[in-house]
Amino acid sequence: MVDSAVLPLRQAPTGADREIMRSSTVDLVADTARAAAARRTTAWLAGGLSAAAAVAGGWLAPPDAVQGQAQRLMYLHVPAAWVAYAAFALVLAAGGAYLIWGDLRWDRFARAAAEVGVVLTAVAIGTGSLWGHLVWGTWWAWDPRLVSTVLLLFAYAGYLALRRTVSERTGAPDGGDHRVARPAAAAGVGGFLLVPVVHFSVIWWRSLHQQATVLAPQRPPIDARMGVALLLAVAAATLVAFCVVLHRVVRLERRLTGDATPTAERTPARVG
């Protein structure tokens, strides 16, 4: 029988241990040279993927048999809509994480994601309006998908306006004070309820908007080259949005700390 007294007790991580753990990973929103290099690498990957998506969607994929060249707007419209969903999902997750743990960094992620989501929703509405004009012959129709998407845009534009209003009224820095973060987190979590309404509106109500293509229950009725181009476009838009969110979080943290330039790389801890 082993005497438990001779077994080493598990110690809490010391400051040196925590520094070693930090040095073994890259915090992409840290204001260090190492993190900045990682962000630049990610941005280059996003640029390369965007170029590949542009070539695939603009030249390699064939035009639609019915809609002709107007269908190529799909490679901008669909990624904008899908990544806007993802951005609002990040607002939901970050807002929930803030409400649970109270870490203001989650609030900064929520704000950055909401900004990206609002811009992408506006792009989706604009490209959808142009596509509708070319195919339906009208810039606007009182279609459930269109109306619900505009409501989604208003909801998260209101979320950003709420943050600004509370910040100006209380004098608290946006992204750096719980007086702004608490009501913003509640609004961001509640606003996500509109996302499934937008997505399923073409199923729940009679709509001019076409239903799911790639995620259709039956075999996707789409040319393989179109499918590849669309997937490339979605991947590129996702990575570009990710880069923008990281950039915005870094800028917010610099603004809160009063630093205008990145700090030098911290002295790495010796391992072993």
Side-chain angles (χ1 to χ4, degrees), residues 88-173:
F88 296 142
L90 180 54
V91 176
L92 170 69
Y98 166 77
L99 291 173
I100 294 171
W101 291 295
D103 187 342
L104 285 168
R105 174 171 279 197
W106 287 116
D107 179 59
R108 293 190 282 274
F109 269 100
R111 174 182 166 177
E115 292 170 345
V116 170
V118 165
V119 171
L120 289 176
T121 304
V123 170
I125 292 172
T127 54
S129 179
L130 176 59
W131 195 356
H133 175 69
L134 295 174
V135 175
W136 300 338
T138 181
W139 292 98
W140 175 261
W142 290 99
D143 179 81
R145 169 63 63 83
L146 299 181
V147 173
S148 58
T149 303
V150 170
L151 290 176
L152 182 66
L153 176 64
F154 287 165
Y156 281 96
Y159 165 87
L160 295 174
L162 172 66
R163 300 184 66 101
R164 184 184 183 94
T165 300
V166 175
S167 176
E168 291 178 349
R169 184 170 297 175
T170 61

Side-chain angles (χ1 to χ4, degrees), residues 74-89:
M74 175 180 74
Y75 305 119
L76 182 57
H77 174 74
V78 173
W82 272 101
V83 181
Y85 290 168
F88 296 142

Side-chain angles (χ1 to χ4, degrees), residues 15-261:
D17 292 333
R18 287 191 292 268
E19 187 64 34
I20 290 173
M21 287 187 286
R22 282 197 295 269
S23 68
S24 65
T25 59
V26 178
D27 182 355
L28 288 175
V29 294
D31 202 7
T32 64
R34 185 182 183 190
R39 291 193 296 270
R40 285 194 297 271
T41 300
T42 306
W44 277 108
L45 290 173
L49 197 55
S50 298
V55 171
W59 288 279
L60 299 183
D64 185 75
V66 177
Q67 301 179 24
Q69 298 295 341
Q71 174 269 337
R72 294 192 190 278
L73 284 167
M74 175 180 74
Y75 305 119
L76 182 57
H77 174 74
V78 173
W82 272 101
V83 181
Y85 290 168
F88 296 142
L90 180 54
V91 176
L92 170 69
Y98 166 77
L99 291 173
I100 294 171
W101 291 295
D103 187 342
L104 285 168
R105 174 171 279 197
W106 287 116
D107 179 59
R108 293 190 282 274
F109 269 100
R111 174 182 166 177
E115 292 170 345
V116 170
V118 165
V119 171
L120 289 176
T121 304
V123 170
I125 292 172
T127 54
S129 179
L130 176 59
W131 195 356
H133 175 69
L134 295 174
V135 175
W136 300 338
T138 181
W139 292 98
W140 175 261
W142 290 99
D143 179 81
R145 169 63 63 83
L146 299 181
V147 173
S148 58
T149 303
V150 170
L151 290 176
L152 182 66
L153 176 64
F154 287 165
Y156 281 96
Y159 165 87
L160 295 174
L162 172 66
R163 300 184 66 101
R164 184 184 183 94
T165 300
V166 175
S167 176
E168 291 178 349
R169 184 170 297 175
T170 61
D174 189 357
D177 196 288
H178 296 288
R179 289 173 291 176
V180 178
R182 289 191 192 98
V189 170
F192 191 79
L193 294 174
L194 279 171
V195 172
V197 174
V198 174
H199 182 66
F200 292 109
S201 59
V202 295
I203 299 174
W204 293 343
W205 300 292
R206 186 175 180 179
S207 174
L208 291 171
H209 199 284
Q210 71 181 52
Q211 296 190 11
T213 298
V214 176
L215 298 179
Q218 66 277 15
R219 183 179 178 181
I222 186 173
D223 184 278
R225 290 167 294 177
M226 290 182 179
V228 170
L230 183 58
L231 291 176
L232 276 174
V234 170
T238 301
L239 197 54
V240 169
F242 177 65
C243 291
V244 174
V245 168
L246 293 178
H247 174 74
R248 286 295 295 144
V249 172
V250 171
R251 291 292 299 273
L252 287 170
E253 294 193 347
R254 285 182 190 171
R255 185 181 304 168
L256 291 168
T257 59
D259 292 333
T261 57

